[in-house]
Amino acid sequence: MSVTDLTAAERERILAKAAHFSPPDYVLSDGRRDLVGLSREELVAEMDAFGEKPFRAKQLWHWIYHQGVRDFSAMSSIAKPLQEKLAERFIVGRPEVATDQLSKDDTRKFLFRFRDHEAVETVYIPDRREDRGAVCISSQVGCTLSCKFCHTGTQRLARNLSAAEIVGQFMAARDAYGEWPSPRGETPRLLSTIVLMGMGEPLYNYENVAKAMKIIMDNEGIALSRRRITLSTSGVVPMMDRAGEELGVNLAVSLHAVTDELRDEIVPLNRKYPIKEVIEACRRYPGASNARRITFEYIMLRGVNDSEADARALVKLIAGLPAKVNLIPFNPWPGSAYQPSTPEQLKKFAAIVMNAGYASPIRTPRGRDILAACGQLKSAMEKDAAE
Ligand code: SF4
């Protein structure tokens, strides 16, 4: 077997495992179907089965994804009798807002609940310098990867999210900010970028994530450019190539350590895909350039991975890659084993990376007052429910 065959086989294994954690179907208990999350082709097929021509799917797509309309009676280009028939058979769904918290720094954290009562977090992080910001979206309920510094890693994987649930997080966040219809071209909006960096490993739920991103990028709907979407992975090497080829979105890699010994411990996926393989996959990643750099996420843990020697090793590791390094001060949560690096150590580390020619912004912790460390809000809700 060649290396390519092995990668393909591994990819199949990952996809088969993902199917095991499939989300529930999009049919409601009253028999109506949710149209959100269907691909264009599926929407055409659904309309065909309903006795409607393909142009009806095009109309619906515009109302659902460009205008953000949920009520069929507000779809003015569709005749009233048909609006009523559609409402009997379909819905345009959204996750339920279980909690909605606004931080003092304007970071806003939603806990969205789905029909089976599973819930995920979605965070809006405004850019302080401009009228725009990023929506951090979850891809799984819980996570299998157990990264040691991550609160979500303490929660078992309940299931994957469907495409509808992934798109639905962005649509519901847009509802909250009244950002419909969708912007044309590069017009700035508050919700201007998406980072797939919430709960879960997106490449372990690739099919649903890819379908959702294709819906979000579609020119006649939400129309968010691939340059405004960043997929963050812990390094699922066989799926990184596929995501690059099929989606072409920006790539972020949760690196967090420069030796396999340490990364094996804090990002256990490293035992399967060690640092060298992850970096090689980054070098292969299509579309990476100085204009579209690969982001390496590096969480700064006091006395663990934050020495000057670590910084120098990091620079050596990524040499030649169009890259930037996001330094993330650790946001401690109850029971976590780590402490954040001191501000002095952070600055020293950042200076070494910057002097080597890589942007190394220190990401100011946001939303500390609303449990914004990934996974904290969901755990707090479950604790409340148990008491
Ligand atoms: S950091 Fe990401 S991949 Fe790791 S446990 Fe947390 S959610 Fe999962």
Side-chain angles (χ1 to χ4, degrees), residues 42 47 100 184 216 270 285 330 354:
E42 286 169 341
M47 285 304 108
D100 176 354
R184 276 281 163 227
I216 284 174
N270 195 69
Y285 194 76
F330 176 59
M354 189 140 75

Side-chain angles (χ1 to χ4, degrees), residues 10-181:
E10 177 65 0
R11 213 180 273 171
E12 287 311 310
R13 203 194 57 75
I14 292 167
L15 293 172
K17 197 166 170 204
H20 184 71
F21 290 101
S22 290
D25 197 9
Y26 63 105
V27 180
L28 276 69
S29 52
D30 63 7
R32 287 185 299 164
R33 298 193 149 205
D34 189 352
L35 294 180
V36 173
L38 298 184
S39 66
R40 263 182 186 272
E41 299 70 32
E42 286 169 341
L43 189 55
V44 168
E46 198 68 58
M47 285 304 108
D48 185 47
F50 191 59
E52 289 292 319
K53 297 265 181 318
F55 85 93
R56 198 64 76 193
K58 196 174 161 69
Q59 274 181 327
L60 282 167
W61 190 273
H62 174 83
W63 285 113
I64 296 170
Y65 295 116
H66 181 71
Q67 301 286 355
V69 169
R70 298 188 57 196
D71 184 350
F72 291 105
S73 68
M75 299 182 181
S76 54
S77 60
I78 298 174
K80 207 166 176 8
L82 182 57
Q83 287 175 355
E84 284 165 8
K85 268 176 65 189
L86 285 165
E88 280 165 21
R89 187 82 187 81
F90 303 105
I91 63 154
V92 179
R94 289 286 194 277
E96 177 199 338
V97 182
T99 62
D100 176 354
Q101 294 178 306
L102 189 63
S103 161
K104 285 186 228 141
D105 65 13
D106 287 335
T107 300
R108 188 166 175 179
K109 187 162 194 166
F110 303 94
L111 186 73
F112 288 132
R113 191 181 287 125
F114 303 113
R115 281 184 210 111
D116 62 354
H117 301 289
E118 293 290 1
V120 296
E121 299 172 6
T122 306
V123 183
Y124 173 65
I125 308 152
D127 187 326
R128 289 201 184 105
R129 294 154 303 173
E130 298 176 67
D131 258 4
R132 50 180 58 201
V135 185
C136 179
I137 284 180
S138 294
S139 55
Q140 296 181 305
V141 184
C143 190
T144 46
L145 292 185
S146 309
C147 300
K148 284 283 180 321
F149 51 82
C150 170
H151 199 267
T152 301
T154 64
Q155 299 164 8
R156 69 178 176 84
L157 175 68
R159 66 171 175 82
N160 285 325
L161 294 188
S162 66
E165 291 165 340
I166 297 167
V167 181
Q169 293 172 64
F170 187 67
M171 295 174 86
R174 265 210 167 157
D175 292 346
Y177 285 87
E179 288 226 326
W180 298 101

Side-chain angles (χ1 to χ4, degrees), residues 235-248:
V236 185
V237 168
M239 303 306 293
M240 286 165 72
D241 295 313
R242 187 166 165 200
E245 281 153 23
E246 290 183 4
L247 302 176

